[in-house]
Amino acid sequence: MNKKVVVEKYSNVTPQILNNDKVKNVEKRILIGSKLEAPNFVMRLFTVKKDGHSPKHSHPWEHEVFIVKGKAEVYNGEEYVEAEEGTFVFVPPNVEHQFKNVGDGDLQFICVIPNSADEE
């Protein structure tokens, strides 16, 4: 297990580009996870370009999300609700959800999931 505090800039992490029939114009960076031997959580930073979105999906683990920049519409299993910079979002297990960029610039959000989620 890693025994040192790690301090790093997010821009040093190479993004995974996601752009297909379910995801549009999304960059995903795994900031903290198995590479740092994090025992409990995975922290990811998503950048969603203008008019982009994550997939509409659900799974058996929760998400803790913090909107760092921009404006989103978040699907909460029933409807879309607005979330803007400084907003946090809790997504319970098995609830269908989606994040859409509805602002003029990039949408950035931090998403924390359990490392057992098998979704790095």
Side-chain angles (χ1 to χ4, degrees):
M1 179 186 281
N2 187 6
K3 298 288 187 182
K4 293 184 179 181
V5 172
V6 176
V7 178
E8 187 72 48
K9 288 189 173 270
Y10 84 90
S11 57
N12 291 338
V13 177
T14 303
Q16 177 185 358
I17 308 300
L18 307 170
N19 199 10
N20 56 48
D21 59 332
K22 295 180 182 179
V23 181
K24 182 179 175 187
N25 297 330
V26 174
E27 295 179 359
K28 173 176 138 182
R29 287 179 167 88
I30 299 170
L31 304 178
I32 300 170
S34 61
K35 284 185 182 178
L36 295 178
E37 300 177 11
N40 298 303
F41 302 102
V42 176
M43 177 188 283
R44 303 158 319 156
L45 175 68
F46 288 88
T47 302
V48 184
K49 301 296 185 185
K50 186 170 171 49
D51 299 320
H53 59 81
S54 67
K56 191 182 278 189
H57 66 290
S58 66
H59 36 67
W61 56 84
E62 67 191 63
H63 286 311
E64 286 83 15
V65 174
F66 184 79
I67 308 294
V68 176
K69 179 179 164 183
K71 185 175 178 183
E73 283 188 346
V74 180
Y75 185 68
N76 68 8
E78 297 176 358
E79 63 184 344
Y80 285 93
V81 293
E82 273 195 14
E84 59 187 19
E85 184 174 318
T87 304
F88 66 87
V89 179
F90 174 66
V91 180
N94 301 309
V95 173
E96 190 174 37
H97 55 283
Q98 181 182 42
F99 291 81
K100 289 183 176 182
N101 182 350
V102 294
D104 292 328
D106 288 351
L107 167 67
Q108 281 192 320
F109 61 91
I110 292 173
C111 180
V112 177
I113 59 173
N115 69 355
S116 60
D118 193 33
E119 188 189 69
E120 279 202 43

